[in-house]
Amino acid sequence: MKVPVFAVIIIYAILPPLFTVNKHKPWIEASYHGVITENMDTVLLDPPLVALDKDAPVPYAGEICAFKINGDDAPFEAVVLNRTSGEGVLRASSPVDCESQKEYTFIIQAYDCGAGPSGANWKKSHKAVVHIQVDDVNEFSPIFRESLYKASITEGKIYDSILQVEAWDQDCSPQYSQICNYEIVTAGTPFAIDRNGNIRNTERLSYDKQQSYKIMVTAFDCGQKRAKEDVVVHIEVKPVCKPGWQGWNKRVDYEPGTGSKQLFPKMHLETCGGPLSGVKAMVELQTNHIGKGCDRETYSEKSLQKLCGAASGSTDLLPAPSPSTNWTAALLMDSGRDSDLIYRFDGRQAANVPDHVVPQNLTDQFTIATWMKHGPSPGLRAEKETLLCSSDKTEMNRHHYSLYVHNCRLVFLLRRDFTQLDTFRPAEFHWKLEQICDKEWHYYVINVEFPAVTLFVDGVTYEPYLVTDDWPIHASKIDTQLTVGACWQGGEVATPRFTQYFRGSLSGLTIRPGRIETQKVISCLQACKEGLDINSLESLAKDIKFHFNPAQSVLVVEGEDVDSINTAMTKVSYINSRQFPTPGLRRLHITTTVQCFGEDTCLSIPDIKAVVMVLPPSEPRITIAGSNRLVRPASDLRGPLGVAPFKELHITSTVMKGDGFGGREPGVMEVMHNLDYCDVLVIGEELNPDRESLEIQHSALLGKHLDATNSTSGISIYGVDSMAHYEQALRQVRYRNWRPANLSERRFRLTCSELNGRYTSNEFNLEVSVLHHSAPVEHANHMAVQPQYMRPVHHPLMMHSLNSHMSGSAPPAATVVIVVCIAALVVIVVIGVYRIHATHQEGSREDEDEVKDAEEEWDNSALTITVNPMEALGDEVRQEEHEEEEEEEEEELVGGVTSVESENSDEEEDDDEGREAAKERKQKGKLGWDSSSITY
């Protein structure tokens, strides 16, 4: 029997669990290929996503319920569009970025709906592979790899490529990520650019016309999207390459006191691209026109020797002219050398050194030292040119010792006196050196340790190339004459005269008997205070070699690499260690040698000529201040130590500072520096050695770089030392006069100097006044005699004042009253004298701490005495007797303090300001009395 179809459907609907069977699994394609555009969600698949099931049209079993993707990282999802037909769609579950990932590959499977509504007994298809490609969108603009491009070209040349600019694009596809074109935005420039970014010049450029160009360049990707920002290109036009140093200044200013200053901070060597194997540069600082060859300390020779620790006892044969050193007054002086004491000899001047100055016994050890500047001798046959000569003064013409130049050879002659051994001995020592005739300053020192003689030139030792022997000189009673600048010929001629004149310049000619000079002292005496230097030696490359000459005026730098040489040359510096350097130009000269591989020299580097301008230092103003008048009793001057005229002396120095110096405002600033001498000169008649002296104890100079000399004209303290040490020494200067009876005053003048007179102080004048005491006059009526410590009172005036209140003549009672008043006045006077005496005794005890004046100040304002005018006349008589005793004591006090007290007073050197102020008040309050002014 045949069952109708609708009946079957009803049966399946009523009893589905009993009759539904899911026999087949879904079917899909084995693989799919899809395309998705970035930032979109729809995927175009080929073939389309469709699943089939053979159980169709059975409900559930023949329907497709889902597509599942295997792969958690795939940003896609599959959606069923129609369960019956099995159609589906693949879309992005999140934004897809081509720049992050261009392709995706994953597995997809189809699932049917199972055997019924519950989905039980579902089946899945086989695994299908899906390949998805992400299509790019031109969303990014090109970007240049550099923010600025620089290049340099040489004028007059056409370049195929000056430089290349490069841009890039972040897009992922070749179409949008590649740069297809570059373009110069700036119009009217002589440059062009190709699609690869190479810039070239379209015409020959001229350095004189334009030294640099600034052009703007943009880029386009293959989607014709323009760069977001254009790039700047700087092209520098260089002149035709000329090998040489570049980036240096012709003038370098040097501020005194600033230490070391770089000379060429931006200098570099242009080699025009040639391969080099080595570079050698020599920097020379030319200072021959400054002082004696360079900037040295310009102190006096004695001060320099003291500063350098030289042994004492040297004699300066060319001192500055003065009343005590007048033998150099007729010589020519070379002025304008920053206070350097230089004598110039032109072949017609010479000077005889006085006998009292010449060392009488040179011994077997002595030293001769001098600065000399000398050139070739004129004429074909040069004559001897004598610097120093000791010869017979009369009768004969024997040279005992001399130093002379002959044919650019330095010769030292030493003829020893005859002894028991009558044999040849070394007598002439010859040196042949270039320095002798190079017209430059050099420092010569001859150390004699007979029979050996050593020459030092600028601190370098030279042995004689020739030594000749001679017979010793027989002893005679003929006096010798020491001459500078020539040799004295006193015998064997009709008229004594100078001969063998010297032509050149000399300075600091000294001779020291008994000792030779050490290498250390010689180096100190001739040392330059300016020179070349190198900063940061540790930062130089290992292949750099450098060395200085002894004076540090020449520096040689060698290296294999140009960059290393450039770095080394930027560190070359100038330094001047003087507090007050000599202002002016110092010339710089740089010579360079370049070596190439396989060749001696391949490039010619022009020399450099520059200057260092040492600016003028702020000139110090040295001021001496203190009390200009000193009043002392004669007994103080007679004391064993005398008086200290400059005990209240103060020395200061100030400089004017301009705008911007060290960040200071304009104004006056106190500075500390050294002094090299202070002279105390006697104004008026010179000192008489028979009765007075001006001197300083040697102990006052201990621990200081100071020495002193004195004469009847005054005293000179010299040596390079601080202002404080000079103050201390000057306060110890003592003036004594052991017969001051006829002396009323002595005047002195003090001046101090720095750098041998380059900077001098004010003239400080001081007057020492002497107090003399008149001899007491004997009077019959002691009541009329006034003590010398009281102001004179004129009795007639007093009597007139009393009588002015009377009418007519005074009655006898009034007369008695007047007499009693006079007696009372005498009592007041006596008590005042007694108080002065007590004060004087107390002051004598205080002299251990403070110098007391000979006379005491008396202030009677605090004294109050009430007198009974009707006191018995007997008391008056006793008062007169007491007055006589007090006058005797007063006469002992009139002379001031005793000599012992004066000595103790002068030994005290307390600088306490309170005590000094008290002394000034006491001196201002002193009273002078003269008994001749008393009227009675």
Side-chain angles (χ1 to χ4, degrees):
M1 183 173 85
K2 193 173 184 179
V3 180
V5 174
F6 67 88
V8 175
I9 295 173
I10 292 174
I11 291 171
Y12 274 103
I14 295 174
L15 301 171
L18 298 177
F19 300 100
T20 301
V21 178
N22 189 6
K23 296 181 179 181
H24 302 92
K25 61 181 181 180
W27 176 90
I28 58 175
E29 297 287 345
S31 63
Y32 294 91
H33 293 275
V35 175
I36 185 173
T37 303
E38 63 176 340
N39 302 325
M40 304 293 287
D41 60 356
T42 302
V43 179
L44 300 179
L45 281 179
D46 183 26
L49 183 59
V50 177
L52 301 177
D53 196 319
K54 290 183 178 181
D55 292 325
V58 178
Y60 301 105
E63 297 177 350
I64 303 300
C65 278
F67 293 97
K68 291 186 178 181
I69 296 175
N70 296 331
D72 297 336
D73 57 345
F76 296 96
E77 61 181 359
V79 180
V80 178
L81 298 179
N82 190 319
R83 295 172 60 173
T84 303
S85 63
E87 294 181 38
V89 65
L90 186 66
R91 61 188 181 189
S93 60
S94 61
V96 178
D97 186 8
C98 178
E99 286 71 39
S100 299
Q101 191 169 342
K102 297 181 180 180
E103 294 180 349
Y104 294 91
T105 300
F106 51 86
I107 301 298
I108 190 172
Q109 288 179 297
Y111 289 77
D112 60 16
C113 296
S118 62
N121 298 324
W122 51 265
K123 294 184 182 295
K124 61 181 179 180
S125 68
H126 62 273
K127 296 179 181 179
V129 179
V130 181
H131 294 281
I132 304 297
Q133 179 179 349
V134 182
D135 280 353
D136 187 21
V137 175
N138 194 5
E139 56 183 330
F140 293 101
S141 300
I143 300 174
F144 286 95
R145 296 190 180 275
E146 303 289 341
S147 60
L148 175 67
Y149 290 89
K150 292 182 179 180
S152 60
I153 61 175
T154 303
E155 63 176 344
K157 294 177 63 177
I158 296 293
Y159 290 82
D160 294 334
S161 176
I162 299 174
L163 78 161
Q164 183 182 23
V165 298
E166 184 179 1
W168 67 288
D169 197 307
Q170 298 182 31
D171 290 314
C172 64
S173 63
Q175 180 182 1
Y176 300 132
S177 64
Q178 291 183 357
I179 308 300
C180 285
N181 192 24
Y182 291 92
E183 183 178 319
I184 295 178
V185 179
T186 306
T189 59
F191 299 97
I193 189 170
D194 60 17
R195 60 186 304 170
N196 294 322
N198 294 304
I199 299 177
R200 59 184 178 84
N201 56 323
T202 57
E203 60 183 52
R204 300 181 188 275
L205 304 180
S206 171
Y207 175 82
D208 296 333
K209 182 179 180 181
Q210 190 168 344
Q211 289 80 37
S212 64
Y213 292 87
K214 176 182 177 182
I215 59 177
M216 304 296 294
V217 176
T218 191
F220 296 89
D221 62 19
C222 293
Q224 292 302 306
K225 193 162 190 174
R226 181 173 174 170
K228 185 177 181 180
E229 293 183 358
D230 300 337
V231 72
V232 178
V233 179
H234 282 291
I235 298 178
E236 181 182 358
V237 180
K238 291 185 177 182
V240 176
C241 183
K242 298 177 181 178
W245 292 101
Q246 297 180 2
W248 55 277
N249 295 324
K250 293 184 177 180
R251 168 173 166 162
V252 180
D253 289 341
Y254 181 81
E255 183 77 29
T258 55
S260 180
K261 182 171 183 178
Q262 288 178 272
L263 297 175
F264 318 107
K266 298 181 180 180
M267 187 170 72
H268 62 278
L269 181 62
E270 177 59 61
T271 60
C272 298
L276 306 177
S277 62
V279 180
K280 179 180 179 181
M282 183 175 69
V283 185
E284 182 181 2
L285 179 67
Q286 299 175 346
T287 59
N288 297 332
H289 61 292
I290 300 296
K292 296 190 289 287
C294 69
D295 208 1
R296 295 181 170 93
E297 296 293 5
T298 56
Y299 295 116
S300 65
E301 198 64 29
K302 283 188 175 181
S303 297
L304 278 177
Q305 291 179 357
K306 191 78 175 177
L307 183 65
C308 291
S312 60
S314 66
T315 301
D316 190 356
L317 302 180
L318 284 176
S322 68
S324 59
T325 58
N326 56 3
W327 70 88
T328 58
L331 299 179
L332 296 177
M333 296 184 65
D334 195 355
S335 59
R337 291 291 184 181
D338 188 26
S339 301
D340 269 353
L341 188 60
I342 296 174
Y343 289 94
R344 182 165 52 87
F345 297 86
D346 61 358
R348 291 175 294 180
Q349 290 87 22
N352 283 330
V353 182
D355 293 340
H356 70 275
V357 177
V358 180
Q360 298 303 316
N361 184 15
L362 293 181
T363 72
D364 286 341
Q365 289 188 343
F366 62 93
T367 299
I368 298 176
T370 185
W371 286 94
M372 182 178 74
K373 180 180 180 181
H374 182 264
S377 302
L380 297 177
R381 184 178 179 181
E383 297 181 354
K384 293 181 179 180
E385 299 178 51
T386 303
L387 287 74
L388 181 68
C389 179
S390 176
S391 59
D392 291 331
K393 185 176 293 187
T394 57
E395 299 183 22
M396 302 181 71
N397 187 27
R398 299 176 302 174
H399 293 186
H400 296 261
Y401 64 88
S402 66
L403 180 64
Y404 62 90
V405 175
H406 188 210
N407 288 327
C408 291
R409 291 168 174 82
L410 186 66
V411 182
F412 176 64
L413 170 68
L414 179 62
R415 300 285 301 280
R416 308 295 293 181
D417 291 339
F418 176 79
T419 61
Q420 295 179 354
L421 297 177
D422 190 6
T423 60
F424 270 179
R425 296 185 182 182
E428 281 191 344
F429 304 83
H430 300 249
W431 294 271
K432 184 177 181 181
L433 304 173
E434 296 179 357
Q435 295 92 320
I436 297 173
C437 290
D438 65 357
K439 296 183 180 180
E440 303 292 345
W441 280 105
H442 299 284
Y443 187 56
Y444 298 83
V445 178
I446 295 178
N447 274 348
V448 178
E449 287 184 288
F450 194 80
V453 177
T454 304
L455 172 67
F456 293 84
V457 180
D458 298 332
V460 181
T461 307
Y462 296 93
E463 297 295 333
Y465 80 93
L466 175 65
V467 178
T468 59
D469 296 339
D470 202 346
W471 293 103
I473 294 179
H474 288 273
S476 67
K477 296 183 179 181
I478 302 175
D479 294 334
T480 59
Q481 176 63 60
L482 183 63
T483 307
V484 176
C487 202
W488 178 255
Q489 188 173 0
E492 301 178 359
V493 290
T495 303
R497 59 185 176 86
F498 291 115
T499 185
Q500 300 177 6
Y501 284 98
F502 177 71
R503 294 176 177 84
S505 297
L506 298 177
S507 179
L509 177 59
T510 61
I511 185 169
R512 175 185 287 107
R515 296 189 63 173
I516 62 172
E517 207 60 272
T518 64
Q519 175 80 47
K520 181 180 179 180
V521 172
I522 293 173
S523 299
C524 176
L525 290 173
Q526 61 89 35
C528 289
K529 295 299 181 179
E530 64 178 342
L532 299 173
D533 193 16
I534 290 185
N535 293 333
S536 304
L537 293 176
E538 64 278 359
S539 63
L540 296 181
K542 295 182 179 180
D543 64 320
I544 292 295
K545 299 178 182 179
F546 66 92
H547 61 272
F548 292 93
N549 68 335
Q552 284 194 225
S553 60
V554 177
L555 168 64
V556 178
V557 181
E558 297 181 71
E560 299 176 358
D561 182 61
V562 176
D563 293 336
S564 300
I565 287 289
N566 290 338
T567 302
M569 291 298 289
T570 59
K571 298 182 182 299
V572 177
S573 305
Y574 170 81
I575 187 171
N576 194 316
S577 60
R578 293 187 67 190
Q579 186 175 9
F580 305 108
T582 303
L585 294 176
R586 275 75 164 164
R587 293 179 177 85
L588 289 168
H589 187 204
I590 301 179
T591 56
T592 309
T593 303
V594 177
Q595 293 182 344
C596 295
F597 292 98
E599 302 179 30
D600 292 337
T601 59
C602 55
L603 292 178
S604 177
I605 306 298
D607 292 353
I608 284 181
K609 292 184 178 181
V611 295
V612 176
M613 173 59 76
V614 178
L615 303 178
S618 299
E619 296 191 359
R621 181 179 180 181
I622 307 171
T623 304
I624 303 176
S627 177
N628 294 98
R629 188 164 184 243
L630 185 67
V631 181
R632 287 290 185 270
S635 60
D636 282 8
L637 273 68
R638 285 194 297 266
L641 293 180
V643 297
F646 304 103
K647 187 175 181 181
E648 300 177 2
L649 182 76
H650 292 284
I651 304 176
T652 59
S653 182
T654 56
V655 294
M656 294 294 297
K657 292 299 182 184
D659 294 323
F661 184 86
R664 297 179 181 272
E665 295 295 328
V668 179
M669 184 180 72
E670 185 172 350
V671 294
M672 300 300 296
H673 57 77
N674 292 329
L675 300 176
D676 59 349
Y677 70 81
C678 286
D679 290 339
V680 180
L681 299 178
V682 178
I683 302 176
E685 295 183 1
E686 293 189 356
L687 298 175
N688 188 341
D690 295 334
R691 63 171 182 263
E692 58 184 339
S693 68
L694 185 67
E695 56 191 16
I696 185 173
Q697 296 294 328
H698 178 71
S699 59
L701 304 177
L702 294 178
K704 306 177 179 68
H705 295 288
L706 298 178
D707 209 341
T709 59
N710 60 347
S711 65
T712 58
S713 301
I715 187 171
S716 178
I717 302 174
Y718 60 90
V720 182
D721 212 331
S722 64
M723 292 186 292
H725 280 179
Y726 267 93
E727 273 188 6
Q728 297 171 12
L730 288 168
R731 291 172 182 174
Q732 299 289 333
V733 173
R734 298 282 177 172
Y735 172 67
R736 291 184 61 208
N737 192 315
W738 42 94
R739 291 201 296 271
N742 298 325
L743 180 67
S744 62
E745 62 183 24
R746 255 302 183 189
R747 290 184 297 161
F748 302 97
R749 177 174 296 156
L750 170 64
T751 56
C752 293
S753 155
E754 163 68 338
L755 297 176
N756 200 23
R758 179 177 173 185
Y759 305 116
T760 56
S761 69
N762 60 309
E763 292 184 349
F764 178 75
N765 296 315
L766 174 67
E767 179 181 301
V768 178
S769 299
V770 185
L771 286 177
H772 296 283
H773 303 283
S774 301
V777 181
E778 295 184 359
H779 297 277
N781 185 357
H782 292 284
M783 291 189 297
V785 180
Q786 295 181 346
Q788 294 189 22
Y789 281 99
M790 293 296 295
R791 294 183 183 274
V793 179
H794 299 281
H795 293 288
L797 294 177
M798 183 181 297
M799 294 301 294
H800 175 75
S801 177
L802 290 172
N803 292 337
S804 64
H805 297 283
M806 305 291 182
S807 58
S809 60
T815 303
V816 174
V817 173
I818 293 173
V819 172
V820 172
C821 291
I822 294 174
L825 178 62
V826 173
V827 172
I828 296 173
V829 170
V830 171
I831 294 176
V833 171
Y834 177 77
R835 183 174 179 180
I836 292 172
H837 180 68
T839 304
H840 170 70
Q841 294 299 329
E842 181 182 357
S844 298
R845 290 190 298 270
E846 293 176 351
D847 278 347
E848 296 177 1
D849 301 322
E850 179 179 355
V851 177
K852 290 292 186 177
D853 296 321
E855 298 168 340
E856 298 290 332
E857 177 184 13
W858 178 52
D859 183 4
N860 61 359
S861 61
L863 180 63
T864 305
I865 302 176
T866 305
V867 181
N868 185 0
M870 301 305 295
E871 189 176 1
L873 294 177
D875 294 337
E876 177 181 340
V877 176
R878 289 192 299 271
Q879 188 67 39
E880 291 178 3
E881 295 175 355
H882 182 67
E883 178 186 354
E884 291 179 352
E885 296 176 1
E886 294 297 327
E887 286 183 357
E888 292 176 359
E889 293 179 7
E890 178 187 350
E891 290 174 5
E892 295 175 2
L893 293 171
V894 165
V897 295
T898 64
S899 60
V900 176
E901 292 168 346
S902 175
E903 178 180 350
N904 293 336
S905 173
D906 289 335
E907 288 177 352
E908 295 299 322
E909 297 298 336
D910 191 355
D911 292 333
D912 186 84
E913 295 181 358
R915 294 183 179 178
E916 295 293 339
K919 286 177 61 180
E920 292 181 10
R921 291 195 297 270
K922 288 181 179 181
Q923 290 177 0
K924 293 179 180 178
K926 287 179 182 178
L927 300 177
W929 299 274
D930 187 356
S931 59
S932 62
S933 63
I934 300 177
T935 305
Y936 55 93

